[in-house]
Amino acid sequence: MPGPQSRGFGDAERRTRSGRGDLTPELIETDVWTDVMVEQAGIPVVDVPFVTVGSGIGSFVTVDYLRICGVPLDRIVVLGPQDVPWHSYEYLTRVSQIPRGERLRSDSASTPDNIWGFPSYAVREAWATRSIKPLWNVAVEPIFANYYTPKAGHAFESMEKECHRIGYLQCLRQGQVRMIRRRAGGGYFTILTPPSGPEAGVGAPTKRIAFRSQWVHVAIGYPGIKLLPDLQAFRETYRDASKVVNAYEPHEHIYQALQRRPGTVMIRGAGIVASRVLQRLIDDRDALGLQTQIVHLFRTYVDKSHGPHIFMRRRGKDGWAYQGFNYPKSVWGGQLKARMRTLEGHERAEAYKQMGGTNTPVRDSWQEQLKRGRREGWYRVAVGKAESLVPAAGGQGVVATVRVDPHASITQESRPDGTFELYADYVIDCTGLEADVREHRLLADLLDHTGAGINPVGRMDVDRNFELIGTRNGNGRIYASGSATLGGYFPGVDTFLGLQIAALEIVDDLAKQGFCSRLSPWRSTAQWWRWARGKGVD
């Protein structure tokens, strides 16, 4: 199949200029499209063998593998809203208090800019700082030191270099992907809503563009922000989003308000984001001499190591469950990875349940801060389920009604009905991002019109090679990677290394179909040497 180019665009251009070039009711309601249907709608068509949807880190690492395997730029198109692959991820890390100078929850060898993992982030940091400390950290972790993790800025800067090296931005067509539909005869149409004006080389303004391809890869990240029910009800009822926020939303106004006058903040959640928000609050308190009070509401209070047996234990203390990374390291290349590939149905769901649960890595700095807060009384803990949230008297702050957890290992006073009230000026919800795949319009459309299904834990059902089960169409295949595929045969999908492993499986499958060459030892060595010298792929 030739590279990206318009097919039969003269008539489509004339129709577009007269106001057409949009989805018709027939297209929206039909599962399998013919070329004639798209042409009659006046939508310009661009032919390209491989389309990746999302334009985030998942798309980037997949394109990186393809380019290293020798696929020319004109045989790949990246569709999505982001101008650079790390844009959305950096936004989420920044607003959740992990700016470029702070460290991510990722290990040294999880390098999305470098498929070989060497030199690792620790090696590069040691070289840049002329210090052996990062290397020593990796050598003695996790027994004598906490796990090494890279700084966010280091990851973004290295991805930027690789973007330019492989020509990634030349493949990018910005816009919103509206839907993916099967094409009569094989392959797919991917519909992009571009920014206003000429786009994708079609030469005229158009509301939609159809990319006709044999292969599609979907890596769109999380569907959206999740807000706990009582917090969502508060926002909808009282039309106030300033006092109740999700940690993944911009909420700098809270830290600024606390600098102007003392206040109380309620933290909800016990993962890495909660620990980072707490550290930001306490850093400001220490640096600026603030009188901020913190109430931390745990849904479940962990006070000791826990797990089904001695070989699956997770440390716990003071309400927190501790784990270096999102999942045990063996899911990325050890026994647990091999075992998960053999499990089906409820057995796989049960395995995810055993290794899942909210957790956070050990960080000596913020543990010391919380210990000091407990001792001095400005950091307090409560355990239970929040049932309602209402404005406090006079509209200053909010009051949460919490049903006490009778099994919690800490003593809590409550009313006869088993509830108690907590006051705060602000509530920061750190419970995570939305997990329901139907919250994303594209994923919902794949489920309704393209044959995709749901896996045992409620996400998109993919095979061991990350093909979206049920969507094959003639010689065409749809692949998916990232958070939307959690629950498949490979855990750890929503991590740097997980995205790379998924990309490797996808590219191996594409090589079997003849789209690209296998990454032989000779080519791999030669391409690593080009990477090390900053030379482009060949």
Side-chain angles (χ1 to χ4, degrees):
M1 185 178 287
Q5 51 188 300
S6 177
R7 285 285 181 262
F9 181 64
D11 293 340
E13 179 176 354
R14 285 190 289 273
R15 282 190 289 269
T16 299
R17 290 184 183 279
S18 65
R20 298 189 62 185
D22 198 2
L23 294 167
T24 63
E26 180 187 22
L27 288 173
I28 293 173
E29 295 168 5
T30 304
D31 293 347
V32 180
W33 295 355
T34 66
D35 294 345
V36 172
M37 290 169 62
V38 179
E39 180 182 351
Q40 289 177 342
I43 300 175
V45 176
V46 177
D47 280 317
V48 62
F50 183 86
V51 170
T52 176
V53 176
S55 70
I57 298 175
S59 290
F60 165 68
V61 297
T62 304
V63 172
D64 198 25
Y65 270 93
L66 289 172
R67 294 286 291 130
I68 289 168
C69 288
V71 179
L73 287 170
D74 64 358
R75 295 175 66 79
I76 304 169
V77 163
V78 180
L79 305 180
Q82 303 183 60
D83 55 349
V84 291
W86 58 92
H87 185 110
S88 177
Y89 184 73
E90 182 173 12
Y91 165 79
L92 292 172
T93 56
R94 185 178 66 252
V95 298
S96 59
Q97 306 311 306
I98 309 177
R100 286 198 168 208
E102 295 292 338
R103 297 190 180 273
L104 300 169
R105 192 182 186 182
S106 180
D107 80 345
S108 178
S110 299
T111 53
D113 69 300
N114 175 2
I115 70 170
W116 303 273
F118 178 82
S120 65
Y121 284 130
V123 171
R124 288 185 253 176
E125 183 176 336
W127 178 265
T129 60
R130 300 294 190 269
S131 169
I132 67 168
K133 185 177 179 181
L135 301 179
W136 175 252
N137 195 140
V138 171
V140 301
E141 69 182 24
I143 305 302
F144 300 108
N146 296 331
Y147 281 111
Y148 170 89
T149 55
K151 291 184 178 180
H154 188 180
F156 304 145
E157 290 160 10
S158 59
M159 278 190 274
E160 183 175 11
K161 289 177 63 178
E162 184 69 354
C163 265
H164 294 300
R165 191 184 77 86
I166 66 174
Y168 171 88
L169 297 179
Q170 297 176 47
C171 303
L172 177 63
R173 304 293 183 268
Q174 282 189 261
Q176 294 288 343
V177 173
R178 173 65 176 83
M179 62 177 61
I180 300 167
R181 292 296 170 87
R182 287 170 289 180
R183 173 180 175 262
Y188 307 90
F189 287 106
T190 302
I191 300 298
L192 179 76
T193 305
S196 59
E199 180 63 21
V202 298
T206 178
K207 189 165 186 179
R208 316 281 186 185
I209 302 169
F211 289 83
R212 184 166 51 196
S213 67
Q214 183 174 346
W215 299 282
V216 179
H217 168 239
V218 179
I220 58 166
Y222 281 93
I225 290 174
K226 178 176 68 176
L227 208 63
L228 293 172
D230 61 308
L231 306 183
Q232 183 66 39
F234 178 89
R235 281 191 172 190
E236 293 175 354
T237 302
Y238 302 105
R239 304 295 180 184
D240 186 350
S242 64
K243 297 184 180 69
V244 175
V245 301
N246 185 285
Y248 287 107
E249 297 176 305
H251 60 279
E252 190 66 23
H253 68 278
I254 292 179
Y255 305 107
Q256 294 173 354
L258 294 170
Q259 293 175 22
R260 293 191 294 269
R261 66 178 182 84
T264 299
V265 179
M266 181 188 300
I267 301 297
R268 306 272 293 270
I272 179 63
V273 174
S275 61
R276 283 297 308 148
V277 170
L278 283 166
Q279 185 170 357
R280 167 65 191 276
L281 289 168
I282 300 171
D283 283 347
D284 284 359
R285 196 180 195 281
D286 293 342
L288 303 175
L290 307 182
Q291 298 302 310
T292 305
Q293 299 288 309
I294 301 171
V295 178
H296 192 170
L297 179 59
F298 289 93
R299 179 66 181 89
T300 302
Y301 190 85
V302 180
D303 63 345
K304 59 185 177 181
S305 297
H306 55 288
H309 52 75
I310 192 171
F311 297 109
M312 292 188 69
R313 287 278 172 85
R314 182 183 290 144
R315 294 169 54 194
K317 188 179 180 182
D318 300 320
W320 303 86
Y322 294 122
Q323 186 169 284
F325 304 105
N326 303 64
Y327 287 91
K329 292 194 76 172
S330 60
V331 305
W332 288 280
Q335 292 178 337
L336 193 50
K337 179 186 177 185
R339 176 172 174 263
M340 291 298 294
R341 292 177 75 89
T342 69
L343 300 181
E344 302 289 349
H346 74 277
E347 290 184 340
R348 185 157 22 114
E350 183 61 28
Y352 270 94
K353 183 178 179 180
Q354 287 182 354
M355 71 176 101
T358 303
N359 57 78
T360 191
V362 175
R363 292 285 189 271
D364 292 339
S365 57
W366 66 264
Q367 283 190 311
E368 184 280 327
Q369 288 178 325
L370 296 184
K371 182 179 180 180
R372 176 160 47 89
R374 287 189 291 268
R375 183 176 65 249
E376 296 175 0
W378 46 262
Y379 171 73
R380 295 174 289 120
V381 167
V383 186
K385 180 180 179 181
E387 295 187 336
S388 66
L389 193 69
V390 298
Q396 297 297 317
V398 296
V399 175
T401 298
V402 180
R403 183 159 298 279
V404 69
D405 180 0
H407 305 294
S409 58
I410 62 174
T411 301
Q412 300 180 101
E413 295 183 0
S414 63
R415 295 178 293 210
D417 64 353
T419 65
F420 59 92
E421 290 185 342
L422 292 176
Y423 167 84
D425 294 285
Y426 304 98
V427 178
I428 303 179
D429 175 16
C430 306
T431 55
L433 292 166
E434 180 59 60
D436 186 354
V437 292
R438 280 200 168 274
E439 292 296 320
H440 195 284
R441 183 170 63 174
L442 175 62
L443 298 182
D445 194 79
L446 284 169
L447 292 168
D448 294 337
H449 295 281
T450 320
I454 295 295
N455 68 26
V457 301
R459 308 283 183 95
M460 304 301 285
D461 197 16
V462 295
D463 209 337
R464 293 168 181 83
N465 59 4
F466 289 87
E467 181 183 353
L468 203 52
I469 295 172
T471 62
R472 187 174 296 190
N473 186 37
N475 64 354
R477 301 186 186 186
I478 300 179
Y479 301 92
S481 60
S483 64
T485 67
L486 182 70
Y489 295 99
F490 170 67
V493 289
D494 189 32
T495 64
F496 284 167
L497 188 54
L499 291 172
Q500 289 180 281
I501 291 172
L504 177 60
E505 297 281 1
I506 292 168
V507 172
D508 277 351
D509 197 55
L510 290 170
K512 293 176 184 176
Q513 300 169 66
F515 178 57
C516 59
S517 301
R518 285 190 174 277
L519 191 61
S520 66
W522 167 249
R523 181 171 181 85
S524 181
T525 302
Q527 290 301 314
W528 178 87
W529 182 238
R530 294 186 69 86
W531 177 90
R533 293 181 296 150
K535 302 294 184 179
V537 296
D538 63 357

